[in-house]
Amino acid sequence: MNICLFLPNWLGDLVMAVPAIRAIRARFGPGARIVGITRPNLAGLLSGSNWINEFWYYDPRTDDPRFDTFATIQRLRTVRWDQAILFTNSLRTALLAVAGGIPERIGYARDGRAALLTHALPVPRDGGQIRRVPMVDYYLGLARAIGADSDDRRLELPLSLWGEVCADRVWKDLSLPTHGPVIAMHVGGAFGASKCWPPAHFVELARRIVTSTPAWVLFVCGHREREVVRRIAREVSHPKVVSMADQPLDLQTLKSCLHRCTAMVSTDSGPRHMAAALGKPVVTLFGPTWPVVTANPTVESIDLQVSLDCVPCGQPRCPLGHHRCMEELSPDMVFQAVLPYISRTQFRSVA
């Protein structure tokens, strides 16, 4: 059996799709050929798992002819597919599945694409409005539609030998401790500037952690955040505050580095979902987005969000221009939230 999964385009969404992907593999067994189509920048995230046999990369905005729409349609037409499951909500992926000759197409009836799906699932609604539900449950709904019944919401990510080798090098290069607490921090958010916590707050928080506890702070980043985390680390100016700005930034390395950390402090961004999937406690700084969308009872997390009339707005930039939702999340509030995880690690190491 040949099954095509049009996987989520965002890092965090792909992590939250893991329970559904796992259920689909369990439903069809090891004999099925499951191909996952996703963005090139997500390469390596699910490496090491047995859920997906092959990854194909597709980006409608790319200049690389290997990953463009024409190449993807041509490649799809070389396989005799049984069905496609569309994790994405876009009209584009439904058109791609039709153009690729996939006879059975399952997805949510959104973005005007219902007529292109052979099995169009109703979108959860309250009255006429789309209801915000945990994305893990939203994706599991797709799995159930093809008979892959599962209530297992547990997130997980496999580690790879390559990632472990690279993480060894990162730990050595940055003189990070092999025993003792290390707090990962992530400053960015692909959604937009409204998700970002002020750099000065990160400076204050990192300085307080390393001067009042035994913990180190490791700033992780993608290519866009490199310069920001360099500036934050320079401003803190403490040997126990380091960044990955000059280290390998592939996802396999990031997985292994997060796995070695004690806990994470992050904006509502992809790396915080990775840390959660690796079993790490996460303190998440919410501003314009809805915590319910990422809620998962299997994850150890503290979600911090200030109460304002404008929260959440769901906008990539603050429409009122004051960004109070993130400005008023104080470093002290975050420090108090992460401190128990540091203390717990100390207790365990002594024990």
Side-chain angles (χ1 to χ4, degrees):
M1 190 165 192
N2 292 314
I3 302 166
C4 182
L5 307 183
F6 287 87
L7 295 171
N9 297 326
W10 298 98
L11 175 57
D13 288 351
L14 184 51
V15 175
M16 290 186 285
V18 162
I21 297 168
R22 187 174 58 222
I24 292 168
R25 169 56 75 188
R27 164 69 176 83
F28 292 105
R33 179 193 181 192
I34 300 179
V35 173
I37 298 181
T38 190
R39 292 286 193 259
N41 64 296
L42 299 180
L45 182 65
L46 302 184
S47 295
S49 77
N50 62 356
W51 309 317
I52 295 177
N53 299 94
E54 303 169 43
F55 288 96
W56 295 4
Y57 300 107
Y58 166 64
D59 186 347
R61 298 178 180 85
T62 187
D63 294 325
D64 190 329
R66 296 174 300 167
F67 307 136
D68 66 15
T69 299
F70 179 76
T72 303
I73 291 172
Q74 292 297 103
R75 192 174 185 186
L76 284 169
R77 288 177 174 173
T78 65
V79 178
R80 189 171 181 175
W81 300 102
D82 292 284
Q83 63 184 205
I85 297 98
L86 280 64
F87 285 77
T88 55
N89 294 317
S90 70
L91 176 62
R92 179 186 287 116
T93 48
L95 288 168
L96 203 62
V98 171
I102 305 177
E104 190 172 330
R105 301 173 297 277
I106 300 98
Y108 285 103
R110 297 183 66 165
D111 203 22
R113 66 182 190 172
L116 300 175
L117 303 174
T118 58
H119 297 72
L121 307 185
V123 179
R125 291 182 182 275
D126 286 323
Q129 298 294 318
I130 294 177
R131 184 171 74 251
R132 290 180 176 82
V133 298
M135 290 304 296
V136 168
D137 295 335
Y138 186 79
Y139 293 138
L140 280 171
L142 289 169
R144 293 190 189 98
I146 59 169
D149 292 328
S150 176
D151 292 320
D152 184 0
R153 296 177 174 87
R154 177 176 43 89
L155 302 180
E156 61 177 314
L157 284 176
L159 301 178
S160 66
L161 179 58
W162 170 255
E164 288 294 284
V165 169
C166 290
D168 283 342
R169 182 60 184 265
V170 171
W171 246 244
K172 181 179 179 181
D173 286 352
L174 299 179
S175 301
L176 285 158
T178 54
H179 301 286
V182 177
I183 303 301
M185 292 192 190
H186 185 252
V187 306
F191 174 76
S194 62
K195 274 191 176 183
C196 296
W197 204 42
H201 286 9
F202 273 110
V203 169
E204 184 177 339
L205 175 64
R207 183 177 289 130
R208 185 167 179 186
I209 287 174
V210 297
T211 57
S212 61
T213 80
W216 286 58
V217 169
L218 171 64
F219 280 95
V220 302
C221 62
H223 294 279
R224 296 180 192 177
E225 298 96 22
R226 268 181 157 156
E227 190 51 43
V228 175
V229 299
R230 281 195 189 105
R231 288 201 307 268
I232 291 172
R234 281 199 302 265
E235 190 165 343
V236 178
S237 188
H238 193 287
K240 287 166 56 181
V241 176
V242 294
S243 86
M244 289 185 64
D246 299 305
Q247 300 294 325
L249 298 180
D250 63 281
L251 292 178
Q252 294 185 65
T253 301
L254 179 57
K255 282 191 295 185
S256 289
C257 286
L258 291 175
H259 187 252
R260 299 175 187 211
C261 292
T262 306
M264 186 174 203
V265 174
S266 177
T267 54
D268 179 20
S269 60
R272 71 105 165 179
H273 296 287
M274 294 176 65
L278 294 163
K280 302 302 172 182
V282 180
V283 176
T284 305
L285 315 177
F286 279 95
T289 53
W290 290 261
V292 66
V293 174
T294 58
N296 188 324
T298 71
V299 170
E300 186 175 3
S301 65
I302 296 174
D303 297 337
L304 299 179
Q305 189 171 45
V306 298
S307 179
L308 296 170
D309 290 341
C310 57
V311 170
C313 68
Q315 299 299 314
R317 293 189 177 276
C318 177
L320 301 178
H322 55 55
H323 206 211
R324 286 177 56 197
C325 62
M326 299 304 278
E327 292 280 355
E328 293 183 13
L329 266 178
S330 72
D332 183 65
M333 291 168 62
V334 184
F335 177 78
Q336 296 303 328
V338 76
L339 184 59
Y341 299 130
I342 299 172
S343 301
R344 187 171 69 185
T345 306
Q346 288 179 258
F347 178 77
R348 286 178 178 172
S349 64
V350 171

